[in-house]
Amino acid sequence: QCPWGAPNTTSISCSLADVMSEQLAKELQLEEENAAFPEVVAVAEGPFITGENVDTSSDLMLAQMLQMEFDREYDAQLRREEKKINGDSKVSISFENYRKVHPYDSDSSEDEVDWQDTRHDPYRADKPTTTPRKGFIGKGKDITTKHDEVVCGRKNTARMENFAPEFQVGDGIGMDLKLSNQVFNALKQHAYSEERRSARLHEKKEHSTAEKAVDPKTRLLLYKMVNSGMLETITGCISTGKESVVFHAYGGKSATEDKVIPPECAIKVFKTTLNEFKNRDKYIKDDYRFKDRFSKLNPRKIIRMWAEKEMHNLTRMQNAGIPCPQVVILKKHVLVMSFIGQDQVPAPKLKDVTLSSEDMKKAYYQVLNMMQQLYKECNLVHADLSEYNMLWHDGKVWLIDVSQSVEPTHPHGLEFLFRDCRNVSQFFQKGGVAEALNERELFNAVSGFNITADNEVDFQEEIEALEKMNEDHVQNHGKKLSMFSSDGDPPIYDE
Ligand code: ADP
Ligand code: MN
């Protein structure tokens, strides 16, 4: 049944003239045809209806059809106004954003030129500006709010184009797809979880390649070490971290007689993929030891500098007698050191061992001692000290991973120290060491300062004030405050 009204069927008066009438013959034929193909009858002609099975009984559909008709008229008016305003002016104003029927969802070809010039680009970042801030558009019965289903549906379809590029959304715009909010949100959710899944897969792949093979240049370096006899064999990977890969190797013979290669070695390869190192800039950029060089360096060299830093810091610690890996050799971004552990099995991290309460207490006092030594004798703050970077071996704690360690006068050195203290204090307090100092007491015990603030915030503030004071002093006098190295001179730094 046609929604636009039933066709008029007039009853025929049957005179001879009528029977003979050509016009009547045509009418009768039409009537017969209509009876034979009822579904073809009287589908209302309109630009918006194309298929044969359009269900015109739906109120929603009717409303939408009317709405689209309004939209078209509105747009036509808009175009006229646009023309009037712009005239022959070279600079023209486009009302594109105010149009409701966008050229790409119009099926008439008269828009073709516009289509090229002013097409709203659905691939541009999310910019669904067809509804102004006031929340509706148009006047009187032309009014369309942002909740309008078609507009909203189209917007949703356009937004779908902003999903991750790998996510195949199909040509929703081309076919004038109108997504309901519900469907759109479900799709969005799906796209996000897909994206996360693919990121995870990708990450896995990256890590596994890092584990199986380092990049060719690094492989060549390692090969040379084995080839020269310095290393006997490289047995395998101990750890793959964000910034480094650590291998185990059996030591060989040194080319020079005076140097003894440890029987087992750890090879730390600093990753040459750069992005991970970006957030470490703050450690090295402000380290005056590297100040002059930092700005001139390319990222590859900065990575070598991390390896170099680790070597220098380990050497200082070795000289102070702190248990830590002994440096064997540094080649570019590859640092070879003694292996903490035995028979290819690395010593466990402090976080992974269960110590007796006696050992726990012993470990605590040792760590306290080492922190003080590190500060006073080595003039260093570890800056990444936690149960992750302390190994338990031979009945004592060994410190590792010191590439990011800085001197206490580093602009953020004391903050780093405070963070270390917090980690250490929390670990041992949770581990049941009743004697363990809290983080503030530990900070004072290590640094020799006497900050009395009894709460975290004030304490932190005083630390920052101290750092600032030191910075100002450096600005004015070009050297560090002596109070930072309270116990005589810091060790001479040998570069
Ligand atoms: P990252 O910056 O990746 O944390 P680390 O220096 O902490 O680098 O080394 C990562 C892991 O490799 C350590 O947690 C430790 O298990 C192992 N490791 C590093 N150096 C040694 C070493 N000298 N002896 C034994 N294991 C080591
Ligand atoms: Mn580490």
Side-chain angles (χ1 to χ4, degrees), residues 387-445:
E387 58 274 26
Y388 287 80
N389 282 328
M390 297 190 266
L391 305 183
W392 181 253
H393 180 64
D394 252 359
K396 61 183 168 190
V397 179
W398 299 64
L399 298 187
I400 59 162
D401 202 0
V402 290
S403 61
Q404 73 292 316
S405 302
V406 295
E407 302 201 343
T409 49
H410 181 285
H412 301 291
L414 296 181
E415 287 165 78
F416 296 153
L417 177 63
F418 190 45
R419 199 176 56 192
D420 286 355
C421 289
R422 189 180 306 141
N423 292 338
V424 167
S425 172
Q426 275 173 8
F427 175 76
F428 285 104
Q429 281 179 345
K430 274 188 196 144
V433 180
E435 297 89 337
L437 298 174
N438 72 35
E439 61 212 40
R440 298 184 297 276
E441 295 164 336
L442 187 58
F443 180 92
N444 284 336

Side-chain angles (χ1 to χ4, degrees), residues 100-345:
K100 283 185 252 174
V101 182
H102 289 275
Y104 52 78
D105 52 40
S106 139
D107 51 3
S108 64
S109 54
E110 64 181 37
D111 287 329
E112 211 117 76
V113 180
D114 277 352
W115 197 89
Q116 296 285 346
D117 295 345
T118 58
R119 188 170 84 111
H120 164 72
D121 184 357
Y123 296 97
R124 229 181 288 149
D126 207 356
K127 197 190 159 205
T129 49
T130 40
T131 317
R133 174 102 42 84
K134 61 187 184 207
F136 61 90
I137 193 165
K139 272 188 211 144
K141 62 181 178 338
D142 265 353
I143 210 158
T144 321
T145 73
K146 63 184 171 191
H147 303 298
D148 176 81
E149 194 149 347
V150 173
V151 175
C152 194
R154 285 199 193 110
K155 271 191 220 161
N156 282 342
T157 303
R159 275 189 199 132
M160 192 168 67
E161 302 285 323
N162 292 328
F163 288 172
E166 317 82 63
F167 192 74
Q168 297 295 327
V169 294
D171 187 16
I173 290 171
M175 57 197 247
D176 193 13
L177 184 69
K178 299 167 201 81
L179 287 180
S180 75
N181 284 343
Q182 199 186 2
V183 173
F184 174 78
N185 285 333
L187 276 173
K188 191 164 97 177
Q189 204 52 47
H190 177 66
Y192 281 169
S193 56
E194 275 297 296
E195 198 179 2
R196 279 200 302 274
R197 195 175 66 90
S198 102
R200 272 203 302 277
L201 278 178
H202 184 73
E203 199 171 78
K204 237 186 195 165
K205 214 163 79 192
E206 230 176 31
H207 277 183
S208 67
T209 49
E211 191 161 338
K212 283 198 197 80
V214 286
D215 65 279
K217 274 184 189 152
T218 310
R219 224 179 309 154
L220 187 65
L221 273 175
L222 297 179
Y223 174 75
K224 277 184 184 164
M225 288 179 186
V226 176
N227 206 34
S228 71
M230 192 192 83
L231 297 178
E232 184 70 37
T233 45
I234 298 173
T235 62
C237 174
I238 305 169
S239 141
T240 5
K242 274 189 304 200
E243 290 141 359
S244 70
V245 186
V246 180
F247 296 96
H248 171 274
Y250 284 110
K253 283 195 187 73
S254 171
T256 49
E257 289 298 310
D258 57 325
K259 204 170 180 181
V260 182
I261 312 276
E264 289 184 79
C265 295
I267 308 170
K268 185 166 178 177
V269 178
F270 287 77
K271 275 203 187 162
T272 44
T273 39
L274 309 168
N275 38 6
E276 303 292 351
F277 278 89
K278 276 198 193 125
N279 54 11
R280 300 184 93 192
D281 275 4
K282 67 164 189 266
Y283 289 99
I284 207 161
K285 211 160 58 192
D286 298 327
D287 190 326
Y288 75 91
R289 294 181 287 171
F290 296 88
K291 208 158 215 156
D292 299 337
R293 293 196 274 156
F294 187 80
S295 56
K296 299 170 203 133
L297 289 179
N298 67 37
R300 195 167 284 282
K301 285 191 181 151
I302 289 173
I303 285 160
R304 282 192 208 166
M305 219 143 80
W306 285 105
E308 200 183 314
K309 259 189 91 164
E310 176 130 33
M311 178 192 71
H312 285 307
N313 293 340
L314 281 175
T315 308
R316 284 198 202 184
M317 290 159 71
Q318 199 77 46
N319 290 343
I322 295 173
C324 68
Q326 190 181 353
V327 175
V328 176
I329 200 169
L330 172 77
K331 289 261 191 212
K332 296 187 177 167
H333 58 287
V334 176
L335 177 67
V336 182
M337 55 190 148
S338 66
F339 181 69
I340 314 300
Q342 206 178 357
D343 297 332
Q344 296 187 44
V345 182

Side-chain angles (χ1 to χ4, degrees), residues 86-106:
N86 289 329
D88 301 333
S89 163
K90 277 181 191 154
V91 183
S92 64
I93 296 166
S94 167
F95 287 1
E96 178 59 31
N97 283 347
Y98 294 99
R99 290 173 65 180
K100 283 185 252 174
V101 182
H102 289 275
Y104 52 78
D105 52 40
S106 139

